[in-house]
Amino acid sequence: DAGITQSPRHKVTETGTPVTLRCHQTENHRYMYWYRQDPGHGLRLIHYSYGVKDTDKGEVSDGYSVSRSKTEDFLLTLESATSSQTSVYFCAISEASGDTEQFFGPGTRLTVL
Amino acid sequence: KNEVEQSPQNLTAQEGEFITINCSYSVGISALHWLQQHPGGGIVSLFMLSSGKKKHGRLIATINIQEKHSSLHITASHPRDSAVYICAVTSSNFGNEKLTFGTGTRLTIIP
Protein backbone atom coordinates (compact mmCIF):
# COMPACT_ATOMS: atom_id res chain seq x y z
CA ASP A 1 0.00 0.00 0.00
CA ALA A 2 1.13 3.52 -0.79
CA GLY A 3 2.22 5.41 2.30
CA ILE A 4 -0.46 8.03 2.60
CA THR A 5 -2.14 9.16 5.79
CA GLN A 6 -4.75 11.74 6.64
CA SER A 7 -5.37 13.55 9.91
CA PRO A 8 -7.65 13.86 11.64
CA ARG A 9 -9.75 10.89 10.59
CA HIS A 10 -12.90 12.32 12.13
CA LYS A 11 -13.76 15.86 13.12
CA VAL A 12 -16.86 17.62 14.35
CA THR A 13 -16.78 21.39 14.31
CA GLU A 14 -19.10 24.35 14.41
CA THR A 15 -20.11 26.70 11.62
CA GLY A 16 -17.71 29.59 11.23
CA THR A 17 -14.64 27.91 12.69
CA PRO A 18 -11.48 27.31 10.65
CA VAL A 19 -10.50 23.71 9.97
CA THR A 20 -7.29 22.26 8.55
CA LEU A 21 -6.96 18.74 7.23
CA ARG A 22 -3.56 17.22 6.64
CA CYS A 23 -2.42 14.73 4.05
CA HIS A 24 1.01 13.16 4.47
CA GLN A 25 2.80 10.87 2.00
CA THR A 26 6.01 8.89 2.19
CA GLU A 27 6.16 8.02 -1.54
CA ASN A 28 7.78 11.23 -2.80
CA HIS A 29 5.03 11.54 -5.43
CA ARG A 30 4.83 14.84 -7.26
CA TYR A 31 1.05 15.18 -7.50
CA MET A 32 -1.33 15.45 -4.55
CA TYR A 33 -5.10 15.92 -4.66
CA TRP A 34 -7.94 16.78 -2.31
CA TYR A 35 -11.39 15.40 -3.11
CA ARG A 36 -14.71 15.48 -1.36
CA GLN A 37 -17.24 12.68 -1.60
CA ASP A 38 -20.95 13.29 -1.15
CA PRO A 39 -23.94 11.03 -1.83
CA GLY A 40 -25.19 11.43 -5.37
CA HIS A 41 -22.12 13.37 -6.51
CA GLY A 42 -19.28 10.94 -6.39
CA LEU A 43 -15.77 12.24 -5.88
CA ARG A 44 -15.13 15.86 -6.80
CA LEU A 45 -11.79 17.59 -6.99
CA ILE A 46 -11.27 20.52 -4.63
CA HIS A 47 -7.63 21.46 -5.25
CA TYR A 48 -4.52 19.73 -6.42
CA SER A 49 -0.77 20.27 -6.31
CA TYR A 50 1.82 19.49 -8.95
CA GLY A 51 4.83 20.35 -6.82
CA VAL A 52 5.98 22.26 -3.76
CA LYS A 53 4.17 25.59 -3.69
CA ASP A 54 2.42 24.76 -6.99
CA THR A 55 -1.32 24.34 -6.63
CA ASP A 56 -4.43 24.77 -8.75
CA LYS A 57 -8.17 24.78 -8.29
CA GLY A 58 -10.55 21.94 -8.97
CA GLU A 59 -14.26 22.02 -9.69
CA VAL A 60 -15.43 22.74 -6.11
CA SER A 61 -12.72 25.02 -4.72
CA ASP A 62 -14.89 27.81 -3.28
CA GLY A 63 -14.45 28.07 0.50
CA TYR A 64 -11.24 26.01 0.50
CA SER A 65 -7.56 26.86 0.34
CA VAL A 66 -4.49 24.62 0.19
CA SER A 67 -0.81 24.80 0.87
CA ARG A 68 2.14 22.59 0.06
CA SER A 69 5.40 23.70 1.63
CA LYS A 70 7.00 20.24 1.52
CA THR A 71 6.72 17.38 -0.95
CA GLU A 72 5.19 15.11 1.67
CA ASP A 73 2.48 17.36 3.10
CA PHE A 74 -0.62 18.86 1.50
CA LEU A 75 -2.93 20.86 3.73
CA LEU A 76 -6.58 21.68 3.07
CA THR A 77 -8.06 24.60 4.99
CA LEU A 78 -11.67 25.56 5.38
CA GLU A 79 -11.36 29.23 6.33
CA SER A 80 -14.84 29.41 7.88
CA ALA A 81 -16.59 26.08 7.87
CA THR A 82 -20.20 25.84 6.69
CA SER A 83 -22.70 22.99 6.97
CA SER A 84 -22.44 22.45 3.20
CA GLN A 85 -18.83 21.40 3.76
CA THR A 86 -19.92 18.41 5.81
CA SER A 87 -18.45 15.59 3.75
CA VAL A 88 -15.84 12.88 3.54
CA TYR A 89 -12.52 14.25 2.32
CA PHE A 90 -10.00 12.10 0.51
CA CYS A 91 -6.42 12.88 -0.32
CA ALA A 92 -4.74 11.13 -3.24
CA ILE A 93 -1.25 11.03 -4.70
CA SER A 94 0.24 10.12 -8.05
CA GLU A 95 3.72 10.06 -9.53
CA ALA A 96 2.76 12.06 -12.57
CA SER A 97 -0.34 13.59 -14.09
CA GLY A 98 -3.83 12.09 -14.30
CA ASP A 99 -2.98 9.28 -16.67
CA THR A 100 -1.01 7.52 -13.97
CA GLU A 101 -2.47 5.55 -11.10
CA GLN A 102 -3.74 7.49 -8.10
CA PHE A 103 -3.43 6.18 -4.55
CA PHE A 104 -5.96 7.30 -1.98
CA GLY A 105 -5.71 8.05 1.69
CA PRO A 106 -8.16 6.59 4.22
CA GLY A 107 -10.40 9.67 4.27
CA THR A 108 -11.49 12.24 6.84
CA ARG A 109 -15.11 12.49 7.90
CA LEU A 110 -15.90 16.13 8.67
CA THR A 111 -19.16 17.24 10.25
CA VAL A 112 -19.96 20.93 10.48
CA LEU A 113 -22.79 21.67 12.90
CA LYS B 1 -24.87 16.27 -17.60
CA ASN B 2 -22.15 14.12 -16.09
CA GLU B 3 -19.32 13.41 -18.51
CA VAL B 4 -18.91 9.95 -16.97
CA GLU B 5 -21.98 7.76 -16.61
CA GLN B 6 -22.10 4.38 -14.91
CA SER B 7 -24.73 1.69 -15.05
CA PRO B 8 -26.33 0.17 -13.20
CA GLN B 9 -26.34 2.39 -10.11
CA ASN B 10 -27.09 -0.62 -7.92
CA LEU B 11 -26.60 -4.30 -8.60
CA THR B 12 -27.46 -7.27 -6.42
CA ALA B 13 -26.41 -10.77 -7.46
CA GLN B 14 -25.95 -14.25 -6.07
CA GLU B 15 -22.54 -15.58 -5.19
CA GLY B 16 -20.88 -17.14 -8.22
CA GLU B 17 -22.62 -14.99 -10.82
CA PHE B 18 -20.76 -13.16 -13.59
CA ILE B 19 -20.95 -9.42 -13.00
CA THR B 20 -20.72 -6.60 -15.53
CA ILE B 21 -20.55 -2.91 -14.66
CA ASN B 22 -20.58 -0.35 -17.44
CA CYS B 23 -19.01 3.08 -17.86
CA SER B 24 -19.68 5.51 -20.71
CA TYR B 25 -17.98 8.82 -21.24
CA SER B 26 -18.56 11.72 -23.59
CA VAL B 27 -15.09 13.15 -24.21
CA GLY B 28 -11.81 12.01 -25.66
CA ILE B 29 -9.73 10.48 -22.92
CA SER B 30 -6.11 9.70 -22.22
CA ALA B 31 -6.88 7.02 -19.62
CA LEU B 32 -9.76 5.35 -17.80
CA HIS B 33 -9.56 4.18 -14.21
CA TRP B 34 -11.59 1.66 -12.26
CA LEU B 35 -11.61 2.05 -8.49
CA GLN B 36 -13.13 0.02 -5.66
CA GLN B 37 -14.52 1.42 -2.42
CA HIS B 38 -15.50 -0.96 0.36
CA PRO B 39 -17.97 -0.06 3.12
CA GLY B 40 -15.93 1.91 5.63
CA GLY B 41 -14.49 4.07 2.90
CA GLY B 42 -11.07 3.05 1.60
CA ILE B 43 -10.58 3.60 -2.14
CA VAL B 44 -8.33 1.29 -4.11
CA SER B 45 -7.24 1.58 -7.71
CA LEU B 46 -8.10 -1.59 -9.65
CA PHE B 47 -7.14 -0.76 -13.22
CA MET B 48 -5.93 2.02 -15.42
CA LEU B 49 -6.28 1.46 -19.15
CA SER B 50 -6.27 3.39 -22.38
CA SER B 51 -6.94 0.54 -24.81
CA GLY B 52 -7.84 -3.13 -24.99
CA LYS B 53 -8.22 -5.26 -21.91
CA LYS B 54 -6.58 -5.90 -18.55
CA LYS B 55 -7.05 -8.80 -16.14
CA HIS B 56 -6.23 -9.16 -12.49
CA GLY B 57 -7.41 -12.33 -10.80
CA ARG B 58 -11.18 -12.54 -11.23
CA LEU B 59 -11.47 -8.96 -12.47
CA ILE B 60 -11.34 -7.97 -16.11
CA ALA B 61 -11.55 -4.45 -17.51
CA THR B 62 -12.15 -3.67 -21.16
CA ILE B 63 -12.34 -0.42 -23.08
CA ASN B 64 -13.67 0.49 -26.52
CA ILE B 65 -12.26 3.87 -27.43
CA GLN B 66 -14.42 4.28 -30.54
CA GLU B 67 -17.62 3.66 -28.61
CA LYS B 68 -16.41 5.61 -25.54
CA HIS B 69 -17.30 2.70 -23.30
CA SER B 70 -15.63 0.53 -20.70
CA SER B 71 -16.79 -2.52 -18.77
CA LEU B 72 -15.63 -4.07 -15.55
CA HIS B 73 -16.33 -7.79 -15.24
CA ILE B 74 -16.11 -9.96 -12.15
CA THR B 75 -16.09 -13.71 -12.63
CA ALA B 76 -17.22 -16.15 -9.92
CA SER B 77 -18.42 -13.30 -7.72
CA HIS B 78 -17.99 -13.56 -3.97
CA PRO B 79 -19.53 -11.63 -1.06
CA ARG B 80 -16.17 -9.93 -0.48
CA ASP B 81 -16.61 -8.28 -3.90
CA SER B 82 -19.46 -6.25 -2.39
CA ALA B 83 -18.34 -2.64 -2.76
CA VAL B 84 -18.88 0.50 -4.77
CA TYR B 85 -17.07 0.44 -8.10
CA ILE B 86 -16.12 3.80 -9.52
CA CYS B 87 -15.13 4.71 -13.05
CA ALA B 88 -12.99 7.80 -13.70
CA VAL B 89 -11.33 9.33 -16.75
CA THR B 90 -8.54 11.72 -17.53
CA SER B 91 -8.98 13.94 -20.53
CA SER B 92 -7.34 16.95 -22.07
CA ASN B 93 -10.82 18.54 -21.92
CA PHE B 94 -10.55 18.64 -18.12
CA GLY B 95 -6.80 19.02 -17.86
CA ASN B 96 -4.83 15.81 -17.97
CA GLU B 97 -3.78 16.20 -14.34
CA LYS B 98 -7.28 15.53 -13.08
CA LEU B 99 -9.70 12.64 -12.80
CA THR B 100 -13.40 13.06 -13.51
CA PHE B 101 -15.48 10.47 -11.71
CA GLY B 102 -18.72 8.64 -12.25
CA THR B 103 -21.08 8.35 -9.31
CA GLY B 104 -20.34 4.68 -8.78
CA THR B 105 -22.09 1.32 -8.94
CA ARG B 106 -23.00 -0.30 -5.64
CA LEU B 107 -22.54 -4.06 -5.93
CA THR B 108 -23.96 -6.47 -3.36
CA ILE B 109 -23.18 -10.18 -3.62
CA ILE B 110 -25.50 -12.42 -1.62
CA PRO B 111 -24.08 -15.71 -0.29
Side-chain angles (χ1 to χ4, degrees):
Chain A
D1 288 344
I4 176 168
T5 58
Q6 293 183 229
S7 59
R9 295 291 314 279
H10 302 271
K11 187 168 181 66
V12 179
T13 192
E14 293 190 348
T15 298
T17 60
V19 176
T20 295
L21 308 183
R22 180 183 184 232
C23 177
H24 179 77
Q25 60 146 329
T26 58
E27 305 297 319
N28 201 36
H29 283 0
R30 180 182 172 195
Y31 282 78
M32 299 185 76
Y33 306 82
W34 277 109
Y35 297 99
R36 60 179 290 174
Q37 186 177 43
D38 305 287
H41 287 280
L43 286 153
R44 292 180 291 174
L45 181 66
I46 305 171
H47 282 280
Y48 70 101
S49 169
Y50 47 96
V52 173
K53 299 193 190 306
D54 292 323
T55 65
D56 204 352
K57 295 179 180 180
E59 62 180 300
V60 291
S61 59
D62 286 350
Y64 301 96
S65 62
V66 290
S67 65
R68 191 168 178 200
S69 59
K70 300 184 288 186
T71 298
E72 57 266 36
D73 288 326
F74 192 33
L75 304 181
L76 176 71
T77 297
L78 290 64
E79 303 290 348
S80 176
T82 68
S83 58
S84 65
Q85 293 176 311
T86 292
S87 187
V88 181
Y89 291 85
F90 286 96
C91 176
I93 63 174
S94 67
E95 283 189 90
S97 61
D99 54 355
T100 56
E101 191 175 7
Q102 286 194 14
F103 301 95
F104 287 78
T108 294
R109 184 172 296 275
L110 176 67
T111 302
V112 183
L113 301 175
Chain B
K1 180 183 180 298
N2 198 358
E3 289 85 0
V4 181
E5 300 278 357
Q6 290 185 236
S7 63
Q9 286 188 305
N10 294 283
L11 177 58
T12 300
Q14 293 291 132
E15 182 174 357
E17 287 189 36
F18 182 82
I19 302 300
T20 296
I21 298 170
N22 298 298
C23 176
S24 296
Y25 50 91
S26 57
V27 296
I29 65 168
S30 53
L32 184 140
H33 303 246
W34 282 103
L35 308 165
Q36 179 191 57
Q37 185 174 25
H38 277 289
I43 299 173
V44 175
S45 175
L46 297 175
F47 296 103
M48 187 185 69
L49 64 166
S50 55
S51 65
K53 173 177 159 178
K54 287 191 176 181
K55 183 175 189 288
H56 180 70
R58 294 179 294 106
L59 274 60
I60 303 165
T62 65
I63 189 168
N64 185 318
I65 297 295
Q66 288 74 27
E67 295 186 3
K68 293 186 167 59
H69 181 268
S70 175
S71 293
L72 177 68
H73 304 286
I74 305 174
T75 62
S77 59
H78 189 276
R80 65 175 174 266
D81 297 324
S82 297
V84 175
Y85 292 85
I86 303 168
C87 173
V89 301
T90 53
S91 169
S92 58
N93 290 49
F94 313 135
N96 274 329
E97 301 86 2
K98 295 171 264 190
L99 292 179
T100 299
F101 296 83
T103 54
T105 294
R106 184 176 300 277
L107 174 65
T108 303
I109 303 297
I110 299 171

